[in-house]
Amino acid sequence: MKAEYKRDINHNYLIFEDEKGIDRSSYQVRMLLGNVIPSILRCHLQNLDGKNFYSYEITSRQSVASYYEGRKFHGEDIRMLLEGFLRVMEELAEYLMNPEQLLIKPEYIYLDIESGTVFFCCLPEQGGEVQTQLREFIEYMLPKLDHEDQEAVFLGYGIYRRVLEPGFQLEMIKEAVYHSEQKGTVRAADTGEEDAAEKEAAVLPEPEEKGKESLPDMPVYAVSSAEKHSGWWWAAGCIAAAAAMLGLLGAGVSGILPWLPAELVIGGGIVAFGIGGFAGWMTDKRKKKQETGAVWEKKEKEQRISLPGDEQTADGPDGKTKASEEGRMETYSDNQNTFYTATENPEAEKAIYGETVALCEGGRQGPSTLVSREPGELATIYLEQELTVVGKLANAADAVIPIPTVSRVHARIRKKDGEYYLADLNSRNGTTVNGQILKNGEEYQLQDEDEVDFAQARYIFLK
């Protein structure tokens, strides 16, 4: 069974040639072509030059083989695929379709990355025994499992044990996948690893202790009693001022102090509260500034800049760090600002600031990049990884291009033996190199200064 890929203006198709002859009147073919089965890729039958072809639209969808080429399977990935498998088997049963027509192969199972939906190909008179196909698919996943993910290990090896057992039933998969609604994991007993899991859990530190070990030490500063209770003193002062103001107001009203008008008392109280609030704000600001200065002073002392072979001297009482004559950076601090002055030693300056390099000297350093052809319009894409996925969906692409015409998962760039290979991932608007659109499944070896367009996102490849 040979698969081909075809692209028209803005659609991509997976095409199988019928090798056994199509009986259009058969129930299986009529149900496949005449119904929209949710988990089956929409199928069309075409006749070209006397040959029949099954055509499945795969626009903006990624095959499992392509998407996980440079990735590991986590627990949620395996769960998503198995739930998709159970869902399509139930749909086939509902439509009275033969489940052995399903193609359970990584290159023919497609994903909608944004919704997490799994789609399958159903091919009459093709496929094979479900248990055998599922076993081969799990064997494909096992080497790609993330062994640091306990759920991935439990699900992967647990399901594999099930499909090896005689008398395989779908209920076995359902039990494993839906066993725990809370954690979404398979019991260790179901995978025959209960004792190992218990031992592993016994030696793991408690979450709080583990968190304490991973956190860096933070500077701790002593707080004086006056600072700790400054809020209480401020509240007490406000209460006392309010009581005094009310007392004076009452004395004026009752005639004890007839010469004291109420307006003057109220106005004086408002002014007093305003002055007190401003003074409190200034005090708090000064305290925060002192704390910030203390943090930076401590950080500066811990990160003194020195050259190899220099002799470091202790800080003097005036906050000045001496440097040896060999070439050290001198630091002066006045408790508020820190000033750095380099010595006149050229070797010291080279070590601190780096050597000046002429623009025309040598080649480019660092990873290869894709730079925008219109400077400043698009962010530069650095090809640092073995596999870089380009698209506009942030949780699926390594390089995000926020342009509407770019597909959610648009293209991939694979690094191999120092060379970079570009392939389109069934994008709706296509990927072009030097004006030539890439065909489905084609991998183009990028050359220096190639013009690469992801739909309307225009780049230049710099090797």
Side-chain angles (χ1 to χ4, degrees), residues 349-365:
E349 293 180 356
K350 182 188 295 185
I352 295 169
Y353 299 108
E355 185 176 1
T356 302
V357 179
L359 290 174
C360 60
E361 185 177 299
R364 299 185 184 95
Q365 301 296 323

Side-chain angles (χ1 to χ4, degrees), residues 52-112:
N52 293 313
F53 298 90
Y54 290 99
S55 177
Y56 300 87
E57 183 171 353
I58 57 174
T59 307
S60 297
R61 293 166 182 165
Q62 312 305 317
S63 70
V64 170
S66 173
Y67 186 72
Y68 289 100
E69 180 179 358
R71 292 180 169 88
K72 290 184 178 295
F73 284 95
H74 300 284
E76 60 269 21
D77 300 321
I78 301 174
R79 184 174 297 280
M80 174 187 67
L81 292 169
L82 292 176
E83 287 177 350
F85 168 73
L86 292 172
R87 186 164 48 249
V88 73
M89 293 298 288
E90 291 175 355
E91 293 171 0
L92 291 177
E94 180 181 352
Y95 284 86
L96 303 180
M97 298 282 288
N98 181 4
E100 294 189 354
Q101 298 175 147
L102 202 65
L103 300 182
I104 313 174
K105 300 182 182 299
E107 57 268 30
Y108 305 138
I109 301 175
Y110 281 80
L111 307 174
D112 185 317

Side-chain angles (χ1 to χ4, degrees), residues 87-347:
R87 186 164 48 249
V88 73
M89 293 298 288
E90 291 175 355
E91 293 171 0
L92 291 177
E94 180 181 352
Y95 284 86
L96 303 180
M97 298 282 288
N98 181 4
E100 294 189 354
Q101 298 175 147
L102 202 65
L103 300 182
I104 313 174
K105 300 182 182 299
E107 57 268 30
Y108 305 138
I109 301 175
Y110 281 80
L111 307 174
D112 185 317
I113 305 302
E114 187 173 22
S115 65
T117 309
V118 185
F119 297 92
F120 293 80
C121 293
C122 186
L123 199 59
E125 305 302 327
Q126 298 292 340
E129 185 184 13
V130 173
Q131 182 176 359
T132 301
Q133 288 196 83
L134 185 59
R135 174 181 57 80
E136 293 174 350
F137 182 68
I138 300 298
E139 289 174 347
Y140 155 80
M141 288 197 299
L142 291 181
K144 294 176 170 285
L145 291 182
D146 180 3
H147 285 80
E148 295 181 358
D149 187 334
Q150 190 177 40
E151 182 184 6
V153 175
F154 283 169
L155 275 174
Y157 287 97
I159 298 298
Y160 188 58
R161 277 193 59 197
R162 305 277 181 151
V163 299
L164 291 177
E165 295 176 3
F168 169 77
Q169 299 292 332
L170 285 182
E171 296 301 323
M172 298 179 178
I173 305 297
K174 291 181 180 179
E175 181 184 357
V177 174
Y178 301 118
H179 180 74
S180 174
E181 296 182 358
Q182 295 293 330
K183 297 182 179 179
T185 59
V186 182
R187 289 182 305 177
D190 291 336
T191 60
E193 300 177 3
E194 183 176 10
D195 294 336
E198 290 180 354
K199 291 178 181 179
E200 182 178 359
V203 299
L204 287 176
E206 293 296 327
E208 294 183 359
E209 295 298 326
K210 187 175 181 180
K212 289 179 181 178
E213 294 176 0
S214 60
L215 290 174
D217 293 333
M218 300 298 292
V220 179
Y221 303 98
V223 181
S224 67
S225 176
E227 291 175 344
K228 182 185 291 185
H229 300 291
S230 60
W232 292 103
W233 289 115
W234 169 244
C238 289
I239 294 173
M245 185 183 69
L246 291 174
L248 291 173
L249 186 61
V253 173
S254 63
I256 298 175
L257 297 174
W259 52 268
L260 188 63
E263 292 82 359
L264 181 61
V265 175
I266 295 174
I270 293 175
V271 172
F273 273 110
I275 294 174
F278 179 75
W281 176 73
M282 289 296 295
T283 301
D284 185 64
K285 184 177 179 181
R286 186 180 299 109
K287 183 174 68 173
K288 289 182 178 179
K289 184 176 181 181
Q290 290 175 352
E291 292 177 353
T292 304
V295 171
W296 282 104
E297 185 176 358
K298 182 177 178 63
K299 187 175 181 180
E300 182 269 326
K301 288 181 179 179
E302 293 176 349
Q303 299 180 355
R304 297 291 186 189
I305 302 177
S306 60
L307 294 178
D310 291 344
E311 297 177 0
Q312 187 170 354
T313 60
D315 291 346
D318 58 351
K320 177 180 177 181
T321 301
K322 302 287 185 179
S324 68
E325 296 180 357
E326 313 303 341
R328 275 280 307 275
M329 175 172 282
E330 297 181 351
T331 305
Y332 299 90
S333 175
D334 60 1
N335 294 327
Q336 292 184 357
N337 300 290
T338 303
F339 306 92
Y340 297 94
T341 59
T343 64
E344 298 181 356
N345 190 325
E347 294 300 324

Side-chain angles (χ1 to χ4, degrees), residues 291-456:
E291 292 177 353
T292 304
V295 171
W296 282 104
E297 185 176 358
K298 182 177 178 63
K299 187 175 181 180
E300 182 269 326
K301 288 181 179 179
E302 293 176 349
Q303 299 180 355
R304 297 291 186 189
I305 302 177
S306 60
L307 294 178
D310 291 344
E311 297 177 0
Q312 187 170 354
T313 60
D315 291 346
D318 58 351
K320 177 180 177 181
T321 301
K322 302 287 185 179
S324 68
E325 296 180 357
E326 313 303 341
R328 275 280 307 275
M329 175 172 282
E330 297 181 351
T331 305
Y332 299 90
S333 175
D334 60 1
N335 294 327
Q336 292 184 357
N337 300 290
T338 303
F339 306 92
Y340 297 94
T341 59
T343 64
E344 298 181 356
N345 190 325
E347 294 300 324
E349 293 180 356
K350 182 188 295 185
I352 295 169
Y353 299 108
E355 185 176 1
T356 302
V357 179
L359 290 174
C360 60
E361 185 177 299
R364 299 185 184 95
Q365 301 296 323
S368 297
T369 57
L370 288 168
V371 299
S372 176
R373 287 161 65 181
E374 289 77 22
E377 179 176 337
L378 298 168
T380 299
I381 299 174
Y382 295 92
L383 305 177
E384 300 174 318
Q385 307 177 27
E386 296 296 322
L387 182 68
T388 302
V389 177
V390 179
K392 67 179 178 184
L393 187 60
N395 60 357
D398 302 303
V400 178
I401 305 177
I403 294 180
T405 54
V406 174
S407 295
R408 290 166 292 185
V409 179
H410 195 104
R412 74 161 187 261
I413 301 173
R414 183 169 58 90
K415 182 180 179 182
K416 183 179 180 182
D417 298 330
E419 300 294 335
Y420 294 85
Y421 298 86
L422 172 66
D424 184 77
L425 294 178
N426 303 321
S427 65
R428 182 172 294 277
N429 295 303
T431 303
T432 62
V433 181
N434 300 325
Q436 298 295 320
I437 191 166
L438 296 182
K439 300 178 181 178
N440 290 78
E442 176 186 0
E443 272 198 334
Y444 174 85
Q445 182 177 341
L446 291 170
Q447 306 297 326
D448 193 28
E449 298 187 4
D450 275 343
E451 297 183 356
V452 179
D453 295 349
F454 306 104
Q456 294 177 328

